[in-house]
Amino acid sequence: TFTKENLVIRSEGVAVSGVVFAGTPLVILGCNLRICWGGTVNPTDVTDYFTEEFRVNNFGLPTHTVHDGQPERLKLVFQSYFVNAVGDGQPDNIQRANVPFDGGAITFIVPRRNNGPIVENNGDGTGVSVQYTGWGPTFELSTFRAWARAENLDDFVAALENFTVGGQNWGYADIDGNIAYFATGNPPLREDLQNNTVDGGVPPF
């Protein structure tokens, strides 16, 4: 049966019920016939901001960042924006917005920063980029698929290996009387912190 907040899946000998999110094909928080799990957000630090030096073209748009004195080419993602024309009395009268290249029509991507975007261009050859662990390929749905079929704590723990992005606290209980707690999410390795030094004395965000 399906309701707004609960979903029960019965196939391949699987019975699972719980909470789903819109667009997600699996139960995120719930129970099967042997185990139950729940979660809350863990504030794992998985995002960093970097001051960048740019190489720019004749239009003043960045084309490269500079790392250890070497230019590294940026990726460009061209954006299209559409807006409803207001005031003409026509509903859903969608028109393409005329957004300039230096006003948001291009997202500048820094491959070195896990394909993170430039979020600030100071106009003087410097700016700020963002690196986030979730901008690479991830496999969190594999975790929820495995939990729907898990029979014990070992199965539950094995599925946690695929949950790498998004710091979460997970509570576990099963019909055998076991309870457990886990925190998941892979923080990035930061060279300065690994060496017990932070360049400039400013900790990461």
Side-chain angles (χ1 to χ4, degrees):
T1 59
F2 177 76
T3 65
K4 183 182 284 187
E5 297 179 349
N6 293 289
L7 175 69
V8 176
I9 299 171
R10 291 184 182 273
S11 65
E12 304 173 17
V14 175
V16 59
S17 64
V19 177
V20 298
F21 301 148
T24 304
L26 298 162
V27 172
I28 306 302
L29 310 172
C31 298
N32 66 24
L33 297 179
R34 293 193 54 86
I35 75 167
C36 289
W37 64 95
T40 60
V41 174
N42 183 300
T44 309
D45 182 8
V46 295
T47 306
D48 293 293
Y49 294 80
F50 294 89
T51 299
E52 303 283 5
E53 179 185 346
F54 300 139
R55 296 285 187 266
V56 298
N57 61 18
N58 292 336
F59 300 102
L61 299 175
T63 59
H64 297 74
T65 56
V66 179
H67 182 76
D68 287 339
Q70 298 299 314
E72 297 180 346
R73 183 169 291 281
L74 298 173
K75 295 179 182 178
L76 307 182
V77 178
F78 292 88
Q79 308 288 354
S80 293
Y81 300 93
F82 297 86
V83 296
N84 190 23
V86 178
D88 62 3
Q90 298 294 320
D92 300 323
N93 188 8
I94 305 298
Q95 298 177 0
R96 185 170 182 164
N98 186 17
V99 178
F101 289 137
D102 60 352
I106 301 176
T107 299
F108 299 91
I109 303 296
V110 185
R112 172 174 294 281
R113 308 300 183 204
N114 200 23
N115 291 311
I118 292 172
V119 295
E120 182 177 331
N121 182 354
N122 296 327
D124 62 357
T126 65
V128 177
S129 67
V130 178
Q131 178 174 281
Y132 167 61
T133 56
W135 283 326
T138 64
F139 303 94
E140 286 71 34
L141 288 180
S142 297
T143 296
F144 301 120
R145 185 178 188 279
W147 286 351
R149 294 157 173 77
E151 297 187 358
N152 52 47
L153 183 57
D154 289 341
D155 291 347
F156 183 85
V157 172
L160 279 175
E161 293 295 320
N162 288 319
F163 200 99
T164 56
V165 174
Q168 296 288 312
N169 303 300
W170 296 107
Y172 168 93
D174 63 31
I175 63 173
D176 298 317
N178 299 305
I179 60 172
Y181 161 81
F182 302 92
T184 58
N186 288 350
L189 293 177
R190 299 176 172 108
E191 183 177 347
D192 50 1
L193 293 183
Q194 295 298 313
N195 295 328
N196 293 319
T197 61
V198 177
D199 187 18
V202 179
F205 281 58

